Amino acid sequence: MVDLQTQYQQIKEDIDTGIQEVIDSAAFVKGKKVQDFAEHLQAYTGAKHVIPVGNGTDALQIALMALGLKRGDEVITPTFTFIATAEVVALLGLTPVVVDVDRDTMNMDTDAVRRAITPKTKAIVPVHLFGQCAAMEELLSIACEHNLYVVEDACQAIGAKYTFSDGHSAQAGTMGEIGCTSFFPSKNLGCYGDGGALFTNDDDLAARIKAIANHGMVVRYHHDMVGVNSRLDTIQAAVLDAKLPHLDEYIAARQKAAAFYDDAFHDNGNLTIPGRAPYSTHVFHQYTLQLGERVCAYRSDIQTQLAEKGIPSMVYYPVPLHLQKAYQDPRYHAGDFPVAEKLAGCVLSLPMHTCLDGEQLEYITENVLRVIKEVCKD
Ligand SMILES: *Cc1c(COP(=O)(O)O)cnc(C)c1O
């Protein structure tokens, strides 16, 4: 699904030098590279504050802690996402309230968000799934009307650009009170282990986030709040700092691969290509097809046949949150969120990374089309 080795070979010298400098300095925790990288990412994203942490899940958890949410407060998330989004809500004793998604963009359905708001609702956590921003303008206006916080899960969407109706634009993760991202190796900006960051434009929130990520400590060994220990390793910061200057190229390479896939699949009646929202660029963390009615029952056969040709494919995500065992809730039943349930049954993600060449793309698309055709015949 990803090719991190080829990408490494292209910038090996910068990465190796960066890592060696960290080892030479022996500043493995809170080394200078962490601050350097945070500043560079600040310049790239336009966020006023960037606070690096241990991973994307920690970033989400710290965000909700920094907003001072209390046990029982409701947090609205899409039901079609990676588990981390709801996990941190549950871990903090907050109540996850899930909503359905839009069939086309696979992102949070804004009408569903409106319907899900109760007097206990305190925050909305939109996920910019697969690399395309959720409908932020509408979500921010709903949040304003109801006095709610917005925490963006931008773990899959770093570098995606949102354009508001007045023409101004902003990057994924910089529009809500807090944005969160992940530097997991396969993410669009990935390190060689775990990493993550929070974005905020609010000075007070930035200070709280920094303290919470560091054991709730403001003055050394004086703990003003309950915190956690979540840091970006200096070695990972060195890797990220070497990769960040290439992020735009990486995004362009993903978009080029996506355009090739689109061309090959757009007029196939059994495949729906990823829908594009007019307000957001798509940075294609994943290229996710929807299989049509006639073929989706054969999804695992399709995957097996592709695997036989050496083509990996993945189902992100096979089970929506409300049907996960750990998140069972008497309020929710199968059938409650029909779009998410349908997507869980019909999505298929193809290999997507920065080093896909024309030959590979041709091989993948030819085989996908052949396998779909054969499934139809049976
Ligand atoms: C990857 C991811 C996370 C978690 O990031 P980690 O760094 O793996 O903890 C959270 N939400 C979404 C949508 C993700 O894709």
PDB file of all heavy atoms in Angstrom, residues 72-84:
ATOM      1  N   GLY A  72     -19.271  13.201  30.936  1.00  0.00           N
ATOM      2  CA  GLY A  72     -20.673  13.326  30.516  1.00  0.00           C
ATOM      3  C   GLY A  72     -20.889  14.330  29.384  1.00  0.00           C
ATOM      4  O   GLY A  72     -21.928  14.307  28.730  1.00  0.00           O
ATOM      5  N   ASP A  73     -19.923  15.198  29.156  1.00  0.00           N
ATOM      6  CA  ASP A  73     -20.045  16.125  28.020  1.00  0.00           C
ATOM      7  C   ASP A  73     -20.083  15.312  26.726  1.00  0.00           C
ATOM      8  O   ASP A  73     -19.373  14.316  26.596  1.00  0.00           O
ATOM      9  CB  ASP A  73     -18.845  17.081  27.946  1.00  0.00           C
ATOM     10  CG  ASP A  73     -18.891  18.159  29.020  1.00  0.00           C
ATOM     11  OD1 ASP A  73     -19.934  18.283  29.693  1.00  0.00           O
ATOM     12  OD2 ASP A  73     -17.871  18.856  29.185  1.00  0.00           O
ATOM     13  N   GLU A  74     -20.894  15.761  25.793  1.00  0.00           N
ATOM     14  CA  GLU A  74     -21.016  15.024  24.534  1.00  0.00           C
ATOM     15  C   GLU A  74     -20.110  15.606  23.452  1.00  0.00           C
ATOM     16  O   GLU A  74     -20.006  16.823  23.302  1.00  0.00           O
ATOM     17  CB  GLU A  74     -22.475  15.024  24.054  1.00  0.00           C
ATOM     18  CG  GLU A  74     -23.368  14.218  24.990  1.00  0.00           C
ATOM     19  CD  GLU A  74     -24.830  14.204  24.595  1.00  0.00           C
ATOM     20  OE1 GLU A  74     -25.198  14.877  23.592  1.00  0.00           O
ATOM     21  OE2 GLU A  74     -25.627  13.543  25.293  1.00  0.00           O
ATOM     22  N   VAL A  75     -19.482  14.689  22.728  1.00  0.00           N
ATOM     23  CA  VAL A  75     -18.578  15.072  21.641  1.00  0.00           C
ATOM     24  C   VAL A  75     -19.040  14.357  20.378  1.00  0.00           C
ATOM     25  O   VAL A  75     -19.180  13.133  20.373  1.00  0.00           O
ATOM     26  CB  VAL A  75     -17.122  14.677  21.979  1.00  0.00           C
ATOM     27  CG1 VAL A  75     -16.199  15.018  20.814  1.00  0.00           C
ATOM     28  CG2 VAL A  75     -16.655  15.362  23.260  1.00  0.00           C
ATOM     29  N   ILE A  76     -19.303  15.130  19.339  1.00  0.00           N
ATOM     30  CA  ILE A  76     -19.847  14.549  18.104  1.00  0.00           C
ATOM     31  C   ILE A  76     -18.719  14.175  17.153  1.00  0.00           C
ATOM     32  O   ILE A  76     -17.850  15.010  16.840  1.00  0.00           O
ATOM     33  CB  ILE A  76     -20.813  15.541  17.413  1.00  0.00           C
ATOM     34  CG1 ILE A  76     -21.952  15.905  18.381  1.00  0.00           C
ATOM     35  CG2 ILE A  76     -21.369  14.952  16.120  1.00  0.00           C
ATOM     36  CD1 ILE A  76     -22.934  16.925  17.820  1.00  0.00           C
ATOM     37  N   THR A  77     -18.706  12.926  16.708  1.00  0.00           N
ATOM     38  CA  THR A  77     -17.712  12.454  15.729  1.00  0.00           C
ATOM     39  C   THR A  77     -18.437  11.681  14.626  1.00  0.00           C
ATOM     40  O   THR A  77     -19.541  11.172  14.842  1.00  0.00           O
ATOM     41  CB  THR A  77     -16.675  11.498  16.357  1.00  0.00           C
ATOM     42  OG1 THR A  77     -17.297  10.228  16.586  1.00  0.00           O
ATOM     43  CG2 THR A  77     -16.136  12.001  17.662  1.00  0.00           C
ATOM     44  N   PRO A  78     -17.817  11.568  13.460  1.00  0.00           N
ATOM     45  CA  PRO A  78     -18.419  10.719  12.420  1.00  0.00           C
ATOM     46  C   PRO A  78     -18.281   9.249  12.819  1.00  0.00           C
ATOM     47  O   PRO A  78     -17.312   8.887  13.504  1.00  0.00           O
ATOM     48  CB  PRO A  78     -17.581  11.018  11.174  1.00  0.00           C
ATOM     49  CG  PRO A  78     -16.288  11.545  11.690  1.00  0.00           C
ATOM     50  CD  PRO A  78     -16.556  12.194  13.006  1.00  0.00           C
ATOM     51  N   THR A  79     -19.224   8.424  12.411  1.00  0.00           N
ATOM     52  CA  THR A  79     -19.152   7.005  12.761  1.00  0.00           C
ATOM     53  C   THR A  79     -18.249   6.246  11.790  1.00  0.00           C
ATOM     54  O   THR A  79     -17.818   5.138  12.080  1.00  0.00           O
ATOM     55  CB  THR A  79     -20.561   6.363  12.835  1.00  0.00           C
ATOM     56  OG1 THR A  79     -20.431   5.025  13.344  1.00  0.00           O
ATOM     57  CG2 THR A  79     -21.257   6.321  11.481  1.00  0.00           C
ATOM     58  N   PHE A  80     -17.948   6.871  10.663  1.00  0.00           N
ATOM     59  CA  PHE A  80     -17.073   6.222   9.677  1.00  0.00           C
ATOM     60  C   PHE A  80     -15.696   6.868   9.772  1.00  0.00           C
ATOM     61  O   PHE A  80     -15.426   7.893   9.139  1.00  0.00           O
ATOM     62  CB  PHE A  80     -17.668   6.392   8.277  1.00  0.00           C
ATOM     63  CG  PHE A  80     -16.955   5.592   7.213  1.00  0.00           C
ATOM     64  CD1 PHE A  80     -16.933   4.210   7.256  1.00  0.00           C
ATOM     65  CD2 PHE A  80     -16.307   6.223   6.161  1.00  0.00           C
ATOM     66  CE1 PHE A  80     -16.282   3.466   6.277  1.00  0.00           C
ATOM     67  CE2 PHE A  80     -15.649   5.493   5.176  1.00  0.00           C
ATOM     68  CZ  PHE A  80     -15.636   4.104   5.237  1.00  0.00           C
ATOM     69  N   THR A  81     -14.832   6.285  10.609  1.00  0.00           N
ATOM     70  CA  THR A  81     -13.480   6.823  10.816  1.00  0.00           C
ATOM     71  C   THR A  81     -12.627   5.775  11.496  1.00  0.00           C
ATOM     72  O   THR A  81     -13.096   4.688  11.826  1.00  0.00           O
ATOM     73  CB  THR A  81     -13.518   8.110  11.679  1.00  0.00           C
ATOM     74  OG1 THR A  81     -12.170   8.581  11.910  1.00  0.00           O
ATOM     75  CG2 THR A  81     -14.150   7.881  13.032  1.00  0.00           C
ATOM     76  N   PHE A  82     -11.347   6.126  11.693  1.00  0.00           N
ATOM     77  CA  PHE A  82     -10.456   5.299  12.487  1.00  0.00           C
ATOM     78  C   PHE A  82     -10.859   5.429  13.956  1.00  0.00           C
ATOM     79  O   PHE A  82     -11.316   6.481  14.389  1.00  0.00           O
ATOM     80  CB  PHE A  82      -9.002   5.765  12.270  1.00  0.00           C
ATOM     81  CG  PHE A  82      -7.991   4.991  13.034  1.00  0.00           C
ATOM     82  CD1 PHE A  82      -7.906   3.615  12.906  1.00  0.00           C
ATOM     83  CD2 PHE A  82      -7.117   5.632  13.903  1.00  0.00           C
ATOM     84  CE1 PHE A  82      -6.965   2.890  13.622  1.00  0.00           C
ATOM     85  CE2 PHE A  82      -6.169   4.920  14.612  1.00  0.00           C
ATOM     86  CZ  PHE A  82      -6.098   3.551  14.475  1.00  0.00           C
ATOM     87  N   ILE A  83     -10.672   4.381  14.712  1.00  0.00           N
ATOM     88  CA  ILE A  83     -11.189   4.292  16.076  1.00  0.00           C
ATOM     89  C   ILE A  83     -10.663   5.377  17.019  1.00  0.00           C
ATOM     90  O   ILE A  83     -11.343   5.777  17.957  1.00  0.00           O
ATOM     91  CB  ILE A  83     -10.898   2.881  16.663  1.00  0.00           C
ATOM     92  CG1 ILE A  83     -11.823   2.560  17.836  1.00  0.00           C
ATOM     93  CG2 ILE A  83      -9.447   2.725  17.038  1.00  0.00           C
ATOM     94  CD1 ILE A  83     -13.238   2.301  17.436  1.00  0.00           C
ATOM     95  N   ALA A  84      -9.438   5.854  16.760  1.00  0.00           N
ATOM     96  CA  ALA A  84      -8.798   6.785  17.700  1.00  0.00           C
ATOM     97  C   ALA A  84      -9.680   7.992  18.002  1.00  0.00           C
ATOM     98  O   ALA A  84      -9.684   8.509  19.126  1.00  0.00           O
ATOM     99  CB  ALA A  84      -7.455   7.259  17.140  1.00  0.00           C
TER     100      ALA A  84
END
